Amino acid sequence: FIMLISLTRQSITRVASQSAKRSYSSTSPLSDRIVVAVGGNALQRRGERLTIENMLKAAADMAPTIAKLASEHELVLTHGNGPQVGELALERSAATFDVLGAESMGQIGYVLAQALSSAGVTTAPIICQVVVDPQHEAFRDPSKFVGPIYGAKEATALSQSLGWVMKPDGEYFRRVVPSPPPKEILQVEAIASLLENTPNVLPIACGGGGIPVSRVPSNPRTLQGVEAVIDKDACGAKLATELNADGFIILTDGGGIWQNYGKPGAREMKRASPEYLLGTKAGKNFPGSMGPKIQAAIDFVTMSKANGKTEAWAAIGDLKDAAKIFSNEEGTIVKEDVKGEGVVWRESKVAFEKKQSKDQHKSG
């Protein structure tokens, strides 16, 4: 964050007015609270091996964008861990996913903190435990992609030798694990306290959807790890809701929400209402990638509305276009008050202009 050391009388009046309008407590002079989610693939350039060195390079590329957002908004950063936790699982097949999730959270938190420090931003990576229901139906139908892609023969061999569940992901196969919804973020008060009392520190929280844990029924204060990976966008939506955020942005490597993506006549949504997206089942053709992002955007807007925050909005867009998402020049804004049929289409833009690959929505 940029600390404002001195303020004119006029700007003090403006900040006081903004604070009075807030539905949350904060000492920050910045006017709105935003939770930003970046995919695990943002730290893995296409075609490069997943190494710490390459992650640091990718994070350094991303840092100026996040630093600019942090200078203009009260920010919380969350991130995916799909490629990283999958790689750790390959190295340590006996480790459970709660432990692997914690390791990847620390690993990625360090990489982001180092890159953002070079961009002038002080961060506080937080190891977050997230309570899930161990009886949820997600454990009967694993859906969360983790790790690298495999050909059909290699996927079959891994399934037979290690007992992994493999599912198609585009032209290839990837491992899938249970992905139950988040019920409770245990460190949310610590995150809120940082925002309210230390506005020059950027919290990095709920990485990879948080560490999945459950409460022991006979003693609810006792926690135990759960073999799962929580979807980072679902957890990000819950985090944004519990922090009473004004906005929730999901940054991908492939732009906003498209209709008939990759086909003749494809078009991108500029703005859309939750009702329109639910009614048209947008994103259902990308159940392992874009679908959860759209659902997370819907969840944040509808949960915020239920809590009385009717102006809350979510956005999905490309990381490189982050600065233009706020003005709706790029990406898709999801909000309640979209006139007409509940959607506004972006003019003079077709899917092929971005020259995106078939994997453009896979940002773990």
Side-chain angles (χ1 to χ4, degrees):
F1 282 145
I2 295 177
M3 283 295 290
L4 303 183
I5 304 301
S6 62
L7 295 169
T8 64
R9 180 173 298 178
Q10 180 181 5
S11 60
I12 290 174
T13 302
R14 175 177 58 81
V15 169
S17 173
Q18 289 169 343
S19 297
K21 294 178 182 178
R22 288 180 176 138
S23 52
Y24 49 85
S25 172
S26 177
T27 59
S28 172
L30 304 173
S31 61
D32 50 5
R33 178 174 290 179
I34 309 293
V35 173
V36 174
V38 295
N41 283 350
L43 296 175
Q44 182 185 19
R45 292 166 169 153
R46 293 188 184 280
E48 289 189 351
R49 292 181 59 242
L50 184 60
T51 64
I52 295 297
E53 182 181 8
N54 286 338
M55 286 172 61
L56 285 167
K57 289 178 182 177
D61 289 344
M62 178 176 60
T65 297
I66 301 301
K68 187 175 190 305
L69 293 178
S71 72
E72 299 170 349
H73 309 278
E74 192 178 69
L75 206 67
V76 178
L77 180 63
T78 187
H79 58 82
N81 71 341
Q84 293 80 9
V85 78
E87 192 77 14
L88 287 170
L90 283 172
E91 296 172 2
R92 300 175 55 225
S93 59
T96 55
F97 264 94
D98 56 319
V99 174
L100 295 173
E103 291 181 4
S104 67
M105 194 184 303
Q107 178 191 79
I108 298 170
Y110 157 68
V111 167
L112 292 173
Q114 183 151 310
L116 286 164
S117 177
S118 298
V121 180
T122 300
T123 61
I126 302 172
I127 300 296
C128 295
Q129 298 156 291
V130 178
V131 176
V132 301
D133 177 5
Q135 304 304 318
H136 192 272
E137 61 183 12
F139 290 92
R140 295 187 289 274
D141 183 23
S143 62
K144 175 66 175 175
F145 289 115
V146 297
I149 58 174
Y150 301 99
K153 291 183 178 179
E154 192 175 8
T156 300
L158 286 169
S159 178
Q160 293 174 347
S161 62
L162 298 177
W164 290 359
V165 179
M166 311 292 285
K167 287 187 177 180
D169 186 15
E171 299 176 0
Y172 300 94
F173 289 82
R174 292 175 75 190
R175 184 183 181 184
V176 290
V177 297
S179 185
K183 293 179 61 179
E184 184 182 358
I185 300 171
L186 297 184
Q187 283 72 31
V188 70
E189 290 183 2
I191 301 164
S193 180
L194 272 174
L195 290 173
E196 292 162 11
N197 300 299
T198 319
N200 62 322
V201 174
L202 168 60
I204 301 175
C206 294
I211 303 166
V213 298
S214 65
R215 295 189 181 276
V216 176
S218 59
N219 185 7
R221 293 172 58 183
T222 301
L223 303 171
Q224 57 186 9
V226 176
E227 185 82 318
V229 174
I230 303 167
D231 182 75
K232 75 103 173 35
D233 297 312
C235 193
K238 184 168 183 61
L239 176 64
T241 303
E242 295 196 5
L243 292 174
N244 221 355
D246 300 290
F248 173 46
I249 301 178
I250 301 172
L251 297 177
T252 72
D253 59 351
I257 306 172
W258 290 79
Q259 180 189 61
N260 298 324
Y261 177 79
K263 300 178 181 178
R267 51 184 180 170
E268 186 183 26
M269 300 177 195
K270 184 175 183 179
R271 293 187 296 277
S273 69
E275 292 76 16
Y276 178 84
L277 294 172
L278 289 169
T280 57
K281 299 182 178 180
K284 295 302 180 183
N285 290 332
F286 303 94
S289 47
M290 197 60 170
K293 291 172 175 51
I294 295 173
Q295 188 60 55
I298 293 170
D299 288 346
F300 170 68
V301 174
T302 54
M303 288 189 295
S304 296
K305 180 182 179 182
N307 292 337
K309 203 174 181 74
T310 57
E311 297 300 314
W313 53 271
I316 300 175
D318 200 297
L319 173 64
K320 65 180 176 58
D321 297 327
K324 296 182 179 180
I325 289 174
F326 287 90
S327 60
N328 206 193
E329 295 175 69
E330 296 289 347
T332 303
I333 298 286
V334 179
K335 56 189 301 187
E336 286 288 350
D337 58 341
V338 179
K339 306 300 182 184
E341 61 179 9
V343 64
V344 176
W345 299 101
R346 195 170 294 285
E347 297 180 3
S348 303
K349 189 174 184 181
V350 297
F352 306 103
E353 286 180 356
K354 280 184 169 287
K355 298 181 180 179
Q356 297 161 314
S357 73
K358 291 182 179 180
D359 296 331
Q360 58 103 19
H361 290 301
K362 300 181 182 82
S363 48

